[in-house]
């Protein structure tokens, strides 16, 4: 046995609402997984199955939703009210103080009113019109979100109304039968309109058409119609009072056919309509299309789960030193290879330019180190600031330390541009500062390229 | 590292340190948590980023450390190779011998996916710095591996030395492509991935399947974004807050407090929408670094927002018919005096500080009867349809930036004012439909039957906005 469409709709709506806080990727993975499991078991993915799949801890129950139960409780409470009203109304209709007959026209009018009300109830459910909605759900219209239940309220209300009215009419019918048994009811017909017995008879016979074959006795004869017409003033035409009671089969069948039966059919229709409406809402539910897409579309995961952010590099602590007076300069990795500008950074006498790193061979680097070992004084190492310092540079510096005194100053000068030489940006310098920190070498200095002003002062 | 069968194409993204390898991986794997901004040369391990479809890996991208000692590696290889035919074996021998050697840790780590995983090589260089022959040792080592390879010219800075790089790379790599990891549009991502598939014939099918799935995922993200915007707009248009006011309360103060709650709730809901859109496009870092990447489009209720995304009163009255009666600064000038935003030009200055609010006229006030000295009051839902255009414009703008932002992007997002209005990209019929949708939303008509149609309408608005942004070709520093 499957869940009622109403319960399914409400459960689905709740789940869609809960899913709004979940990530799209998670939802896709979860729902695609269910669809794939279904395909593996040669089953078709269904909404009910999906709900059970994602909430396995919740035992599957055929019990209706709690919100529907509230409506059911209200309906049950209204049943005795309807029955009581039915009894009272019928007693009112059959009130007979002996001065006048019970007017069949009034009963017909009352049954017609019943029919009109039943029709209105059905129409408002069909069109979803609910002018009294705010009274029944006072929270509506404030901070409360709209749920799928709101869309079913007209149909739920119609179910309750028809059910109550059905009990009302049944109680009325039973009261009528009881009154027929225990009392001598005198029916007649009367109207202010100048209607002839023939035309009234045509109306009565028209009304009695549905049962005239089943129960001919319940179709009043023309004679009875003529004889039981009464006026407020004037003598009764009938000589035989027992004939007043001959109307009762007609009244019973009128009530049964035009009050009880329509309500019974409309109650069944309202329940059917509620289920249809719930099914339709489920089909139109905004979450359903997305869910079906997630069932069908393969999950595409382009990334591993988001990792924590990488730790940002620390701020370098190394302070910049002024460029030492030097006679030796190494151009690392081909920096400023086509210009003599680096010479301006050195003392003029006995200065030498060396090239290392980049396209130079390792043997050439070693030869440079050997040559430098024979010279004295600080050495400037010029490098491209935008090229990150690599292990090869670290190896070169370490090799230089092995072949030369540890106390000899090595000034590392990263440059931002080659022609002409321009200073590196603080961001470029930061990685070189950290590189120097990592070398743990007190005599390895990080120096900035002197600006022309400073240079002029130095030389001046 | 994700284990996968050798049949799964694997691409090792290799190169010199700080050449944008991680940017390329971040963009192609749609993962903005890849350590791009870290100290160059401190990436010590190879990280694998697979593309999984229903859990099945279609390809792997491997982010590797940069070369640290290429000359030493090449010297070792040359010393141990007898002829050109044994070069791949020699590289393998180098890897096997040095994988525990801390000196060659980075080289072994970058060679690992190539040797063990039979990965294709994607060699990344930075086209914004001049070509340096110093890279030739690296390229030679990669050539020696004998694996299929492709060179990618990325651009980290603004200078363009791509042509020089192309010439040099052409000597080492059969395929050389340009790809800017930060600005390349999505279609180029797919083109590049298909290009990866050309490295080996057996990879082509898988890469084509993968790109088809990625394209479909992109379409789905578009659809899901439309749903999210629709949902948020519905809630924002319908938002109501209620409170009570006693006889002793200052009436104006109580009203202001309630209105403030409404404003805050609207801002919160907009922020939730933004987070959902960012999560949809897998931009997690933006959420974590909200301060760094703060939106520069002003407050939801600022005059600046209204001037940028709102429409004039004339347009509201004649949606779809009014020629040139769209919103924006230019339009306010046309309808001077008739629109709320008559002061947009002045308001732009005020709005920069976010101090000018037009919220006072936005919501509906309703007051309950005075009972026991207390009176209930309610603010909302939205009374001015103008606000719907502001919400929509801001939502579309945010969506556009997020959906066009590559995962390697790190710069703050910028919003430039435009003289035209995005609505101009919509046909008259579509504008009328949009107006009708917004009117229904403001009246709280949430009809499930029309939901699909409405989402299509928002989707059409997204397309129009995209066209508008692209036709505007506004300075987009971040893209």
């Amino acid at each position: 046995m499957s869940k009622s469409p109403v319960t399914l709709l409400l459960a689905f709506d709740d789940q869609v609402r809960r899913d709004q806080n979940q990530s799209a990727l998670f939802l896709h993975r979860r729902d695609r997984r269910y669809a794939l499991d279904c395909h593996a078991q040669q089953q078709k993915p269904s909404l009910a199955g999906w709900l059970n799949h994602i909430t396995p801890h919740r035992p599957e129950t055929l019990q209706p939703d709690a919100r529907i139960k509230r409506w059911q409780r209200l309906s049950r409470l209204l049943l005795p009210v309807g029955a009581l009203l039915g009894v009272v109304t019928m007693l009112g209709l059959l009130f007979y103080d002996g001065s006048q007959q019970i007017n069949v026209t009034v009963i017909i009018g009352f049954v017609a009113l019943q029919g009109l009300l039943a029709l209105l109830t059905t129409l408002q459910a069909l069109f979803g019109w609910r002018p009294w909605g705010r009274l029944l759900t006072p929270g509506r219209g404030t901070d409360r979100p709209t749920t799928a239940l709101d869309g079913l309220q007209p149909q739920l209300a119609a179910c309750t109304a028809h059910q109550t009215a059905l009990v009302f009419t049944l109680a009325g019918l039973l009261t009528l039968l009881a009154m027929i048994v225990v009392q001598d009811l005198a029916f007649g017909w009367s109207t202010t309109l100048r209607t002839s017995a023939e035309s009234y008879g045509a109306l009565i016979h028209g009304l009695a058409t549905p049962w005239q074959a089943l129960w001919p006795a319940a179709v009043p004869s023309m004679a009875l119609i003529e004889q039981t017409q009464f006026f407020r003033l004037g003598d009764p035409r009938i000589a035989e009072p027992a004939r007043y009671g001959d109307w009762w089969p007609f009244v019973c069948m009128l009530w049964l056919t035009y009050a009880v039966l329509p309500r019974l059919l409309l109650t069944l229709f309202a329940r059917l309509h509620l289920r249809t409406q719930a099914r339709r809402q489920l089909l139109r539910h905004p979450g359903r299309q997305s869910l079906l897409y997630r069932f069908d579309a393969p999950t595409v995961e382009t990334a591993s789960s988001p990792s924590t952010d990488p730790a940002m590099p620390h701020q370098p602590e190394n302070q910049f030193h002024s460029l030492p007076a030097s006679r030796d300069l190494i151009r690392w990795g081909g920096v400023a290879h086509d210009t003599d500008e680096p010479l301006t950074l050195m003392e003029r006498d006995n200065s030498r330019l060396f090239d290392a790193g980049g396209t130079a061979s390792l043997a050439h680097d070693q030869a440079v180190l050997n040559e430098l070992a024979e010279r004295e004084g600080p050495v400037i190492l010029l490098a491209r600031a935008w090229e990150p310092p690599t292990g090869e540079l670290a190896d070169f510096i370490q090799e230089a330390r092995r072949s030369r005194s540890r106390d000899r100053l090595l000034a590392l000068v990263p440059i931002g541009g080659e022609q002409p030489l321009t200073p590196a940006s603080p961001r470029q310098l930061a990685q070189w500062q950290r590189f120097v920190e990592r070398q743990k070498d007190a005599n390895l200095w990080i120096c900035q390229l002197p600006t022309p002003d400073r240079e002029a002062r130095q030389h001046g | 590292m994700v284990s996968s069968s050798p049949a799964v194409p694997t691409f090792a993204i290799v190169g010199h340190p700080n050449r944008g390898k991680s940017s390329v991986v971040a963009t192609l794997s749609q993962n903005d948590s890849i350590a791009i901004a870290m100290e160059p040369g401190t990436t010590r391990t190879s990280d694998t980023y697979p593309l999984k479809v229903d859990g099945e890996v279609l390809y792997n991208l491997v982010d590797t450390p940069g070369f640290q000692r290429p000359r030493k590696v090449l010297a070792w290889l040359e010393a141990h190779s007898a002829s050109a035919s044994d070069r791949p074996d020699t590289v393998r021998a180098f890897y096997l011998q040095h994988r525990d050697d801390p000196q060659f840790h980075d080289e072994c780590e970058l060679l690992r996916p190539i040797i063990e995983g039979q990965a294709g090589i994607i060699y990344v260089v930075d086209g914004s710095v001049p070509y340096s022959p110093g890279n030739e040792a690296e390229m030679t080592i990669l050539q020696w591996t004998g694996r299929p390879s492709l060179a990618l010219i990325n651009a980290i800075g603004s200078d363009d030395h791509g042509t020089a790089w192309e010439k040099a790379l052409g000597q080492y790599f059969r395929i050389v492509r340009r790809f800017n990891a930060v600005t390349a549009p999505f279609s180029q991502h797919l083109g590049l991935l298909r290009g990866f598939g050309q490295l080996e014939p057996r990879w082509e099918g898988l890469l084509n399947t993968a790109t088809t799935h990625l394209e479909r995922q992109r379409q789905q993200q578009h659809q899901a974004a439309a749903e999210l915007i629709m949902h948020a707009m519905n809630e924002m248009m319908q938002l109501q807050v209620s409170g009570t006011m006693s006889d002793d309360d200052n009436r104006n103060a109580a009203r202001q407090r309630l209105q403030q709650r409404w404003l805050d709730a609207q801002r919160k809901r907009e922020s939730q929408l933004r987070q959902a859109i960012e999560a949809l496009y897998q931009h997690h870092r933006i959420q974590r670094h909200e301060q760094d990447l703060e939106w520069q489009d002003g407050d939801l209720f600022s005059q600046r927002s209204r001037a940028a995304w709102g429409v004039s009163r004339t347009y509201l009255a004649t949606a779809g018919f009014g020629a040139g009666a769209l919103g924006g600064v230019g339009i306010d000038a046309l309808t001077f005096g008739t629109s709320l935003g008559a002061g947009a030009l002045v308001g732009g200055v005020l709005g920069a500080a976010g101090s000018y609010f037009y919220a006072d006229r936005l919501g509906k006030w309703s007051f309950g009867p005075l009972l026991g000295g207390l009176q209930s009051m309610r603010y909302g839902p939205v009374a001015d349809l103008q606000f719907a255009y502001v919400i929509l414009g801001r939502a579309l703008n945010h969506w556009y930036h997020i959906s066009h932002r590559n995962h390697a992007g790190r710069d703050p997002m910028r919003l430039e004012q435009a003289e035209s209005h995005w609505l101009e990209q919509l046909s008259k019929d579509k504008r009328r439909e949009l107006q009708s949708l917004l009117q229904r939303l403001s009246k709280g008509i949430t009809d499930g039957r029309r939901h699909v149609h409405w989402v299509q309408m928002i989707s059409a608005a997204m397309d129009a906005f995209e066209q508008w942004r692209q036709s505007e070709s506004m300075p987009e520093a971040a893209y």
Side-chain angles (χ1 to χ4, degrees):
Chain A
M1 207 175 143
S2 60
K3 268 184 186 172
S4 117
V6 180
T7 308
L8 186 62
L9 170 70
L10 295 181
F12 179 74
D13 186 60
D14 290 345
Q15 188 56 43
V16 170
R17 209 176 305 284
R18 278 193 289 270
D19 283 350
Q20 276 165 7
N21 297 322
Q22 301 281 13
S23 80
L25 184 64
F26 167 76
L27 293 180
H28 198 171
R29 214 163 31 206
R30 180 194 68 185
D31 302 336
R32 175 70 178 164
R33 170 93 189 267
Y34 162 72
L36 289 175
D37 288 349
C38 284
H39 291 314
Q41 292 161 18
Q42 296 185 328
Q43 288 173 351
K44 209 178 161 204
S46 67
L47 292 191
W50 173 76
L51 281 169
N52 288 334
H53 171 77
I54 58 171
T55 50
H57 55 275
R58 197 177 296 167
E60 192 177 358
T61 171
L62 296 173
Q63 290 293 310
D65 187 271
R67 286 159 291 182
I68 297 299
K69 278 185 184 167
R70 272 203 294 277
W71 267 107
Q72 289 178 339
R73 207 173 302 132
L74 177 69
S75 299
R76 276 199 298 273
L77 281 173
L78 285 174
L79 288 182
V81 177
L84 186 68
L85 279 174
V87 172
V88 172
T89 307
M90 188 51 77
L91 287 175
L93 283 172
L94 300 181
F95 181 73
Y96 178 57
D97 62 357
S99 63
Q100 238 172 11
Q101 293 91 327
I102 300 162
N103 194 346
V104 174
T105 316
V106 174
I107 296 174
I108 291 171
F110 189 80
V111 167
L113 181 68
Q114 279 286 306
L116 189 68
L117 288 175
L119 188 69
L120 283 176
T121 306
T122 305
L123 286 177
Q124 65 88 27
L126 282 173
F127 292 109
W129 187 51
R130 199 164 158 257
W132 32 260
R134 212 172 272 272
L135 293 172
L136 281 181
T137 45
R140 174 87 181 94
T142 56
D143 301 344
R144 200 178 67 86
T146 312
T147 69
L149 187 71
D150 295 328
L152 292 179
Q153 297 282 15
Q155 290 76 36
L156 284 163
C159 278
T160 303
H162 283 309
Q163 201 171 301
T164 310
L166 178 65
V167 173
F168 170 86
T169 52
L170 281 172
L173 182 67
L174 291 174
T175 310
L176 173 65
L177 293 172
M179 291 297 283
I180 288 163
V181 174
V182 300
Q183 265 199 344
D184 166 29
L185 296 177
F187 292 101
W189 67 276
S190 176
T191 168
T192 316
L193 301 173
R194 295 176 68 91
T195 306
S196 66
E198 284 74 26
S199 45
Y200 195 78
L203 172 73
I204 295 297
H205 288 146
L207 288 171
T209 313
W211 64 85
Q212 64 184 359
L214 289 172
W215 192 7
V219 184
S221 64
M222 271 313 291
L224 180 68
I225 293 166
E226 279 172 10
Q227 286 169 3
T228 52
Q229 185 179 15
F230 68 92
F231 300 90
R232 275 180 187 273
L233 299 173
D235 297 327
R237 296 180 186 178
I238 197 162
E240 194 182 346
R243 293 228 58 189
Y244 288 117
D246 288 350
W247 275 96
W248 76 262
F250 171 80
V251 175
C252 285
M253 285 310 287
L254 178 81
W255 190 264
L256 183 66
T257 309
Y258 294 107
V260 180
L261 269 179
R263 283 295 187 180
L264 181 65
L265 293 174
L266 287 174
T267 305
L268 295 175
F269 172 77
R271 290 189 171 197
L272 198 68
H273 184 223
L274 175 68
R275 292 171 75 92
T276 315
Q277 191 66 10
R279 272 197 207 96
R280 198 179 298 160
Q281 273 206 34
L282 200 56
L283 283 175
R284 288 173 187 162
H285 198 288
R288 186 175 165 272
Q289 285 301 325
S290 308
L291 180 67
L292 292 183
Y293 175 84
R294 296 199 294 268
F295 282 169
D296 286 341
T299 53
V300 179
E301 289 171 75
T302 50
S304 50
S305 56
S307 61
T308 51
D309 260 358
M312 292 300 287
H314 66 278
Q315 279 298 313
E317 291 164 9
N318 261 16
Q319 295 300 311
F320 293 106
H321 292 85
S322 341
L323 194 65
S326 169
R327 290 192 178 86
D328 301 317
L329 186 143
I330 306 166
R331 294 185 291 202
W332 180 257
V335 59
H337 192 264
D338 303 327
T339 169
D340 287 336
E341 254 197 282
L343 288 169
T344 60
L345 301 176
M346 294 189 291
E347 293 191 329
R348 280 162 195 157
D349 304 332
N350 195 19
S351 59
R352 279 285 309 273
L353 284 175
F354 299 94
D355 287 304
T359 51
S361 68
L362 292 170
H364 176 84
D365 284 8
Q366 192 54 51
V368 168
L369 288 174
N370 292 342
E371 205 172 333
L372 278 169
E374 288 165 10
R375 294 168 66 87
E376 287 184 352
V379 179
I380 297 172
L381 183 62
L382 209 61
R384 288 182 176 125
W386 64 90
E387 299 270 7
T390 59
E392 277 188 350
L393 179 62
D395 289 353
F396 183 79
I397 292 167
Q398 279 175 15
E399 197 56 42
R401 286 293 175 226
R402 267 199 289 275
S403 58
R404 299 161 62 218
S405 162
R406 280 208 157 269
D407 301 333
R408 202 164 162 191
L409 210 57
L410 191 59
L412 184 57
V413 185
I415 58 159
E418 294 180 76
Q419 285 178 337
L421 294 187
T422 47
S425 68
R427 191 191 159 118
Q428 286 172 333
L429 283 171
Q431 61 176 335
W432 288 90
Q433 284 176 278
R434 283 187 288 264
F435 169 75
V436 168
E437 275 176 28
R438 285 199 296 273
Q439 304 312 307
K440 296 190 172 36
D441 184 342
N443 291 316
L444 174 65
W445 286 6
I446 177 94
C447 303
Q448 280 177 292
L449 191 74
T451 58
D453 289 353
R454 281 165 62 189
E455 203 180 339
R457 276 202 301 276
Q458 249 183 5
H459 290 283
Chain B
M1 188 171 166
V2 169
S3 62
S4 55
S5 66
V8 175
T10 299
F11 304 97
I13 317 292
V14 297
H16 204 70
N18 202 27
R19 288 293 182 269
K21 297 184 294 296
S22 299
S23 311
V24 171
V25 178
T27 289
L28 294 182
S29 66
Q30 300 182 24
N31 185 342
D32 64 352
S33 66
I34 292 174
I36 291 170
M38 277 177 67
E39 177 85 347
T42 52
T43 304
R44 303 306 308 275
T45 54
S46 288
D47 297 316
T48 303
Y49 298 91
L51 176 101
K52 292 186 200 165
V53 173
D54 277 344
E56 186 194 345
V57 178
L58 290 192
Y59 67 77
N60 289 309
L61 294 176
V62 188
D63 188 21
T64 66
F67 280 100
Q68 291 290 328
R69 293 170 176 89
R71 286 187 305 155
K72 283 190 175 174
V73 177
L74 188 59
W76 191 97
L77 295 176
E78 284 169 342
H80 291 79
S81 168
S83 68
S85 61
D86 69 4
R87 284 172 177 175
D89 289 341
T90 313
V91 178
R92 171 176 281 274
F94 172 85
Y95 168 72
L96 293 173
Q97 188 171 323
H98 294 91
R99 58 184 167 181
D100 298 325
D101 183 348
Q103 195 186 18
F104 294 111
H105 174 274
D106 289 12
E107 278 74 14
C108 289
E109 196 60 22
L110 79 87
L111 286 172
R112 181 159 60 89
I114 301 170
I115 307 278
E116 290 184 356
Q118 294 292 296
I121 296 166
I122 311 297
Y123 182 67
V124 180
V125 297
D126 180 4
S128 66
V129 298
Y131 168 73
S132 161
N135 292 353
E136 284 167 12
E138 299 169 357
M139 295 194 274
T140 310
I141 296 165
L142 296 173
Q143 220 176 23
W144 277 45
T145 61
R147 296 298 303 153
S149 57
L150 175 150
L152 208 60
I153 304 171
N154 191 14
I156 296 177
S158 54
D159 295 343
D160 184 11
H161 299 276
T163 313
W165 276 105
E166 259 174 346
K167 278 185 192 160
L169 292 167
Q171 295 172 35
Y172 291 88
F173 300 94
R174 194 166 51 87
I175 310 170
V176 180
R177 297 188 67 144
R178 289 189 190 219
F179 181 78
N180 189 323
V182 175
T183 60
F186 185 69
S187 56
Q188 276 186 27
H189 305 184
L190 299 181
L192 183 62
L193 286 169
R194 285 193 204 101
F196 287 4
Q198 288 164 9
L199 291 181
E200 270 204 22
R202 66 193 167 102
W203 290 347
E204 202 167 355
L206 275 173
L207 264 295
N208 282 340
T209 311
T211 48
T212 307
H213 281 298
L214 285 170
E215 252 174 334
R216 196 172 169 193
Q217 184 197 37
R218 186 78 172 176
Q219 286 162 5
Q220 169 56 15
Q221 283 170 336
H222 190 282
Q223 176 76 9
E227 295 246 7
L228 286 171
I229 293 172
M230 172 76 206
H231 189 65
M233 284 199 69
N234 187 26
E235 284 188 13
M236 289 174 81
M237 293 299 288
Q238 286 306 304
L239 183 74
Q240 297 179 27
V241 287
S242 47
T244 50
M245 176 170 55
S246 70
D247 279 348
D248 308 330
D249 281 345
N250 179 322
R251 196 176 171 83
N252 279 338
R255 282 177 62 149
Q256 269 185 3
R257 274 200 305 275
L258 191 65
Q259 198 178 52
Q260 191 58 45
R261 268 179 54 204
W262 188 84
L263 297 176
D264 291 343
Q266 293 284 25
R267 289 191 187 103
K268 192 177 164 195
R269 185 64 189 87
E270 189 192 46
S271 169
Q272 283 170 349
L273 168 67
R274 290 183 168 190
Q275 285 181 13
I277 297 276
E278 284 156 18
L280 182 69
Y281 285 93
Q282 299 176 57
H283 280 286
H284 304 283
R285 197 171 176 275
I286 294 171
Q287 292 165 30
R288 292 201 296 271
H289 290 257
E290 218 161 320
Q291 293 303 313
D292 299 347
L293 298 175
E294 194 173 356
W295 280 81
Q296 298 177 356
D297 56 350
D299 185 78
L300 174 61
F301 300 99
S302 69
Q303 186 57 32
R304 183 180 172 182
S305 288
R306 212 207 64 75
W309 310 117
V311 293
S312 64
R313 283 265 181 245
T314 319
Y315 179 82
L316 288 179
T318 61
F321 301 104
L326 293 167
V329 176
I331 304 313
D332 275 328
L334 287 177
T335 57
F336 199 79
T338 61
S339 78
L340 267 178
L345 299 171
V346 181
V349 180
L350 293 167
S355 56
Y356 181 78
F357 291 94
Y358 65 106
D360 212 25
R361 285 161 276 193
L362 276 181
K364 286 175 191 158
W365 278 107
S366 48
F367 300 92
L370 195 63
L371 292 171
L374 287 174
Q375 185 180 20
S376 68
M377 55 181 179
R378 198 166 66 215
Y379 190 62
V382 172
D384 187 355
L385 203 57
Q386 173 86 254
F387 187 53
Y389 282 99
V390 174
I391 302 171
L392 181 62
R394 285 170 63 90
L396 293 178
N397 192 39
H398 175 264
W399 161 80
Y400 176 81
H401 282 85
I402 291 297
S403 65
H404 286 74
R405 183 181 172 86
N406 286 348
H407 290 74
R410 291 293 185 272
D411 295 330
M413 306 203 200
R414 293 183 185 173
L415 172 76
E416 303 294 337
Q417 292 278 11
E419 287 303 312
S420 64
H421 200 288
W422 71 271
L423 282 167
E424 287 171 19
Q425 293 287 337
L426 280 179
S427 67
K428 276 183 183 177
D429 287 346
K430 285 280 178 200
R431 276 189 238 163
R432 241 191 329 261
E433 262 184 72
L434 181 66
Q435 176 97 342
S436 155
L437 160 67
L438 299 180
Q439 270 167 347
R440 278 171 168 269
L441 286 182
S442 70
K443 284 175 187 162
I445 304 169
T446 49
D447 188 343
R449 270 177 301 180
R450 296 182 67 87
H451 180 83
V452 175
H453 176 72
W454 287 354
V455 171
Q456 281 169 356
M457 185 63 240
I458 297 288
S459 188
M462 287 159 75
D463 293 337
F465 193 93
E466 193 169 19
Q467 278 171 21
W468 171 71
R469 270 282 177 211
Q470 281 160 8
S471 66
E472 280 283 320
S473 63
M474 288 186 291
E476 294 281 357
Y479 299 95

